[in-house]
Amino acid sequence: MKLRRLSTAGKGFDAKLAALTRYQGDADPKLARTVARILADVRARGDVAVLGYAKRFDKATARSIAELDIQPRTDVPAAQLDALRAAHARIRAFHERQAQGSWDYTEADGTRLGQRITPLERVGIYVPGGKAAYPSTVLMNAVPAKVAGVREIVMVSPNPNAVVLAAAALAGVDRVIGIGGAQAVAALAYGTRSIPRVDKIVGPGNAYVAEAKRQVFGGVGIDMIAGPSEILIVSDGSAPAEWLAMDLFSQAEHDEDAQALLLSPDGSHLNAVEAAINRLLAEMPRKSVIAASLKARGALIQTRDLAEACALASRIAPEHLELCVSQPEKWMPQIHNAGAIFLGAYSSEAIGDYCAGPNHVLPTFGSARFSSPLGVYDFQKRTSIIAVSQAAAQSLGRVAAVLADGEGLSAHARAARMRMDK
């Protein structure tokens, strides 16, 4: 296949890059209306609606929600179980370092101020079950929730396989329900007679799931509106071309809308990677998906130098960024926007997806400019603690009263002055 080639020195580069990296995250109006009807139906009819959609979309034969409950279990081949255990241990160890504790301090006049950290009570995890099985998604979403101290984790997934259920068992998921789609999001967001309402919904899904999460947000928390997977590689030509070609494939194989970009100042290196892509593509089981993705949203981009490549990478703000250069630590400070940064030729994005430890739920759509990976902090609430002493009520009361008067809020001002000594 002929992969798109761009050069930062070429005419109209900025416009071409903007067109290439632009992705319309909003659902089309027809899809949005369909999702809205499903949400309203589940909200009105509860279990009956959920069962109806499960039969229609997931080919379920259950006559009650109880029949859709699935027991997590670890009866999978030993090699798979060992790999899941190793990944779980690494993911948990990383996220335990993120855990925050409550704190407070007391001022000289006796006023105590602080922040109390408390976990969410109940969280819903959506795990896709369509094109592939995703046990890694279970671990990446459930482990930080568990570390945060979430009391109950409810997982929904259409037709989860044995490996997904094993991951759920290892991660401490409390309940697995075999439902999917917008109706599963609705059940978690609103609650039904058989399915408890949750405080937050996390996890990826198709366009209907993403739109459902968008529409229920506000009544329930969500992690993010996840878009197609993205990888951007900055390379100086020191790594084998075949490695980089396969790293591009690793994201392109997710779906036809995924994006894979390679930036390098070395034109001959870009030629070598393109040759490797054409040589290796025929071997890939998902070659049609990879080819469609690379054709639609992939590119090899020649930059003037590595500094420009890093600046361009930060401008794009990709989900995954590989610094495949001989001195990655030197160039990392120049990367300001990325969901995750992989340093050096041996740090393949694939390892990050499964078992490095950091979370693979990352910001897409360029939202790494202002957003962060999923973490323990997403499953905790921060509550301010304020205990004003009698002495502080005098000085702070005067400040508050003056500011309240300035805003025309007389009750505020009076409430502050009433606590001041006459």
Side-chain angles (χ1 to χ4, degrees):
M1 65 175 293
K2 186 68 176 176
L3 195 58
R4 182 184 288 100
R5 293 287 289 265
L6 299 175
S7 170
T8 56
K11 185 178 180 180
F13 171 76
D14 287 342
K16 292 175 183 176
L17 180 68
L20 177 63
T21 55
R22 185 184 304 118
Y23 184 81
Q24 184 60 44
D26 296 333
D28 67 76
K30 183 178 178 181
L31 186 149
R33 288 193 297 270
T34 298
V35 169
R37 284 196 297 269
I38 293 172
L39 297 181
D41 191 22
V42 172
R43 193 168 196 173
R45 298 195 300 132
D47 288 349
V48 174
V50 173
L51 279 171
Y53 290 119
K55 291 175 182 178
R56 178 179 171 186
F57 297 123
D58 302 328
K59 311 304 178 187
T61 58
R63 292 169 295 179
S64 69
I65 297 296
E67 291 182 28
L68 291 170
D69 272 87
I70 306 169
Q71 185 64 41
R73 58 187 187 273
T74 56
D75 54 344
V76 295
Q80 287 183 331
L81 188 58
D82 288 345
L84 285 172
R85 283 174 172 157
H88 174 265
R90 293 187 61 83
I91 295 165
R92 186 173 181 92
F94 177 86
H95 286 87
E96 283 175 343
R97 291 176 177 265
Q98 290 182 339
Q100 299 177 345
S102 301
W103 53 266
D104 64 51
Y105 63 94
T106 302
E107 297 179 323
D109 61 12
T111 294
R112 183 167 63 89
L113 304 173
Q115 180 173 269
R116 186 177 68 172
I117 305 294
T118 54
L120 303 182
E121 285 288 307
R122 183 183 293 121
V123 166
I125 295 177
Y126 190 97
V127 178
K131 294 181 179 179
Y134 297 99
S136 59
T137 296
V138 179
L139 297 178
M140 294 293 182
N141 285 273
V143 168
K146 208 71 179 176
V147 171
V150 171
R151 179 175 59 83
E152 183 179 3
I153 301 174
V154 180
M155 183 179 117
V156 293
S157 181
N159 308 307
N161 69 8
V163 186
V164 167
L165 293 175
L170 289 174
V173 172
D174 297 286
R175 185 180 178 189
V176 178
I177 309 172
I179 56 175
Q183 61 273 17
V185 174
L188 293 173
Y190 306 134
T192 71
R193 184 174 59 83
S194 303
I195 301 172
R197 180 184 182 185
V198 302
D199 301 312
K200 192 166 192 173
I201 301 172
V202 299
N206 62 19
Y208 289 88
V209 171
E211 178 60 19
K213 288 171 68 177
R214 187 197 311 276
Q215 292 190 26
V216 300
F217 175 63
V220 65
I222 63 171
D223 50 353
M224 63 184 74
I225 305 296
S229 193
E230 305 160 353
I231 187 171
L232 185 152
I233 302 172
V234 173
S235 175
D236 61 2
S238 58
E242 290 78 10
W243 292 13
L244 304 190
M246 200 57 61
D247 287 354
L248 295 173
F249 287 178
S250 72
Q251 294 311 292
E253 73 175 347
H254 275 294
D255 64 64
E256 293 83 353
D257 288 328
Q259 182 152 76
L261 305 175
L262 173 62
L263 280 59
S264 178
D266 188 339
S268 61
H269 174 58
L270 294 177
N271 291 337
V273 173
E274 184 172 20
I277 287 172
N278 284 301
R279 188 166 61 252
L280 296 171
L281 182 59
E283 305 172 8
M284 306 307 298
R286 295 173 66 84
K287 60 185 177 184
S288 61
V289 176
I290 294 171
S293 170
L294 293 178
K295 181 179 180 181
R297 304 192 70 221
L300 303 175
I301 302 175
Q302 185 165 357
T303 61
R304 293 176 178 86
D305 50 36
L306 280 179
E308 185 182 45
C310 290
L312 189 58
S314 285
R315 180 170 138 199
I316 295 170
E319 179 186 17
H320 309 96
L321 192 155
E322 287 187 3
L323 270 180
C324 223
V325 296
S326 57
Q327 294 180 289
E329 297 288 351
K330 171 186 174 182
W331 296 101
M332 185 175 65
Q334 297 196 32
I335 302 296
H336 306 295
N337 303 314
I341 302 174
F342 297 79
L343 302 176
Y346 287 97
S347 303
S348 72
E349 187 279 330
I351 291 177
D353 261 356
Y354 293 106
C355 58
N359 210 288
H360 78 194
V361 180
L362 302 167
T364 57
F365 296 141
S367 61
R369 294 177 296 111
F370 54 82
S371 191
S372 306
L374 188 73
V376 173
Y377 37 77
D378 288 296
F379 301 98
Q380 294 176 323
K381 298 175 294 180
R382 289 159 292 281
T383 304
S384 297
I385 303 299
I386 303 165
V388 178
S389 67
Q390 183 178 1
Q394 317 310 307
S395 57
L396 296 180
R398 278 189 291 273
V399 173
V402 170
L403 294 175
D405 284 336
E407 293 185 353
L409 299 176
S410 59
H412 281 68
R414 189 169 180 180
R417 288 193 176 102
M418 289 175 74
R419 288 166 171 79
M420 296 169 59
D421 292 338
K422 301 299 183 183

